[in-house]
Amino acid sequence: MEYQDIIKDWKQNKFKAFYWLEGEEDFFIDQVVSYAEHELLTEAEKGFNLTVLYGKDTDWSTVVNACRRYPMFAERQVVVLKEAQAMRDLLKLEAYLDNPLQSTVFVVAHKQGKIDGRSKMAKMIKEKGVLLSTKKLYDNQLPAWAEAYVSSRGLAITQKAAILLVDHIGNDLSRIANEIDKLLVNLPDKKKIDEGDIEKYVGISKEYNVFELQNALGAKNAAKVYKIIGYFAANPKAAPLPMMLPALYNYFAKMSLVFTIKGGEKEIASALGVHPFFVKDYIAAARNYGPDATDRAILLLQQYNLRSIGINDSGVEDGELMKELMYKIMA
């Protein structure tokens, strides 16, 4: 079951006795917990019927006692157990899960891990409750997720704007969603978010970013490469060297795979783990460099990464170091 399915059921007044939320992606868990905490009960009902507990500060008996209470002046009560992974006697909840009170909606948030699927408790959760097992999205899934999130809020976003946003933030759905929510507040009358909006409200330059540097480098567009590097040198916070070098390394590492993949753009996108929007750029860049120059670029990036942290380097400034590196890669 997806997190949206749980919320959809709740909106239709369909409830199970308990919901076990676990896995690696906090965002999905937080969405369900937030809805349970803020939307399942009216403000008048919350005073008597909402209990929020934290795993590190509670024990199994306190949790069970809370779950066993009957609702007051309401159809149901809600008990939320946050940070369940930090509760030492978590497995002792097994007896309650085996015989839960139907008038209690019990929501367990077990982040950054899963209970043993072979255990009795895991089997009980699947049989008698609802299990939400989350995992991190792959990087190539992030732009589509951002587009879907914007769509769910009643707007649209250009593909390049979505890519620019997630390329800057990385694999952090909570931060991506937060930036999108801020955009929606700042763009009340606009129906489609574009790159200009990302630049203005998120603080990412649509011309001067690692994504554009990769494209310019892949095309061997020296004038554009040095223009971007010059901007970075003048604005160190826009693209710190510890962020740029790993990104460029990953770019060339993926480019090197293009030479080994049999098939068309779809197969290449799948093998590289990138959004299909990028594939033509990777193929064109691979043609520009060839296997040998691509491997040499990877080695140079390794060397200059070490130099950037002071190994085998005499203290060259970051801007000069990048200019030198770009020249050698494109040579």
Side-chain angles (χ1 to χ4, degrees):
M1 178 174 278
E2 301 294 330
Y3 82 94
Q4 300 99 321
D5 298 325
I6 295 175
I7 294 174
K8 182 179 178 181
D9 281 351
W10 286 348
K11 288 180 178 179
Q12 296 174 353
N13 283 319
K14 298 177 182 177
F15 297 95
K16 295 288 187 179
F18 64 87
Y19 296 82
W20 188 279
L21 320 173
E22 66 177 23
E24 301 169 350
E25 184 47 71
D26 292 353
F27 177 82
F28 300 139
I29 295 173
D30 288 340
Q31 292 295 296
V32 178
V33 168
S34 178
Y35 196 93
E37 193 172 349
H38 300 290
E39 305 295 336
L40 290 187
L41 300 171
T42 67
E43 289 302 318
E45 292 171 336
K46 288 177 185 176
F48 292 109
N49 299 291
L50 175 63
T51 304
V52 179
L53 302 167
Y54 291 83
K56 63 181 180 180
D57 300 322
T58 193
D59 56 35
W60 73 274
S61 61
T62 302
V63 175
V64 170
N65 287 336
C67 290
R68 289 285 182 204
R69 288 199 302 264
Y70 287 93
M72 294 181 65
F73 313 112
E75 289 185 40
R76 65 188 61 86
Q77 70 152 341
V78 176
V79 177
V80 179
L81 175 60
K82 299 181 178 181
E83 301 173 5
Q85 70 279 4
M87 199 169 96
R88 284 178 290 182
D89 48 7
L90 183 65
L91 293 179
K92 290 186 178 181
L93 294 180
E94 187 179 292
Y96 174 78
L97 299 184
D98 189 38
N99 185 29
L101 193 65
Q102 295 303 313
S103 58
T104 295
V105 179
F106 182 32
V107 180
V108 181
H110 186 284
K111 293 182 176 180
Q112 301 303 316
K114 302 177 181 181
I115 62 168
D116 188 344
R118 300 165 298 180
S119 67
K120 182 180 177 181
M121 179 181 277
K123 294 173 183 175
M124 193 179 298
I125 291 168
K126 293 175 184 177
E127 290 173 4
K128 300 194 174 187
V130 172
L131 172 66
L132 173 67
S133 186
T134 71
K135 62 180 181 179
K136 285 281 187 184
L137 296 183
Y138 294 112
D139 289 349
N140 63 316
Q141 296 174 305
L142 294 175
W145 184 87
E147 290 174 32
Y149 185 81
V150 172
S151 178
S152 74
R153 304 300 301 275
L155 272 80
I157 185 170
T158 66
Q159 192 174 54
K160 190 166 184 181
I163 291 170
L164 187 62
L165 179 66
V166 302
D167 187 64
H168 173 73
I169 294 175
N171 200 334
D172 187 333
L173 299 191
S174 295
R175 280 191 61 205
I176 293 171
N178 186 53
E179 291 297 341
I180 290 172
D181 290 342
K182 287 195 293 185
L183 279 166
L184 301 185
V185 170
N186 285 295
L187 303 169
D189 301 319
K190 197 166 184 181
K191 294 185 178 180
K192 195 165 193 175
I193 299 167
D194 58 30
E195 301 97 284
D197 299 322
I198 300 296
E199 180 175 24
K200 183 176 180 180
Y201 294 108
V202 183
I204 311 165
S205 171
K206 63 181 180 182
E207 293 184 62
Y208 303 104
N209 56 73
V210 175
F211 174 64
E212 291 299 326
L213 177 59
Q214 287 176 178
N215 283 347
L217 199 53
K220 289 193 173 181
N221 184 339
K224 188 173 181 181
V225 167
Y226 292 125
K227 184 179 178 182
I228 294 172
I229 291 301
Y231 176 84
F232 289 161
N235 301 273
K237 292 183 179 179
L241 214 54
M243 180 189 81
M244 272 199 297
L245 292 177
L248 293 176
Y249 179 88
N250 288 334
Y251 174 71
F252 277 95
K254 287 177 179 177
M255 192 196 301
S256 71
L257 293 176
V258 172
F259 303 110
T260 67
I261 300 166
K262 295 180 180 179
E265 292 182 9
K266 184 178 179 181
E267 288 75 18
I268 293 173
S270 177
L272 266 58
V274 301
H275 193 279
F277 183 83
F278 289 113
V279 172
K280 289 183 180 178
D281 291 335
Y282 275 99
I283 293 172
R287 289 182 184 139
N288 283 337
Y289 282 86
D292 292 342
T294 301
D295 289 343
R296 186 166 61 85
I298 291 171
L299 289 174
L300 283 167
L301 284 159
Q302 290 174 328
Q303 293 169 9
Y304 277 73
N305 185 52
L306 292 174
R307 287 184 62 183
S308 73
I309 58 175
I311 299 174
N312 299 323
D313 186 74
S314 56
V316 179
E317 291 187 359
D318 288 356
E320 292 303 314
L321 202 64
M322 282 300 294
K323 287 179 185 178
E324 185 181 310
L325 172 60
M326 297 298 101
Y327 174 79
K328 289 184 178 181
I329 286 176
M330 292 185 290

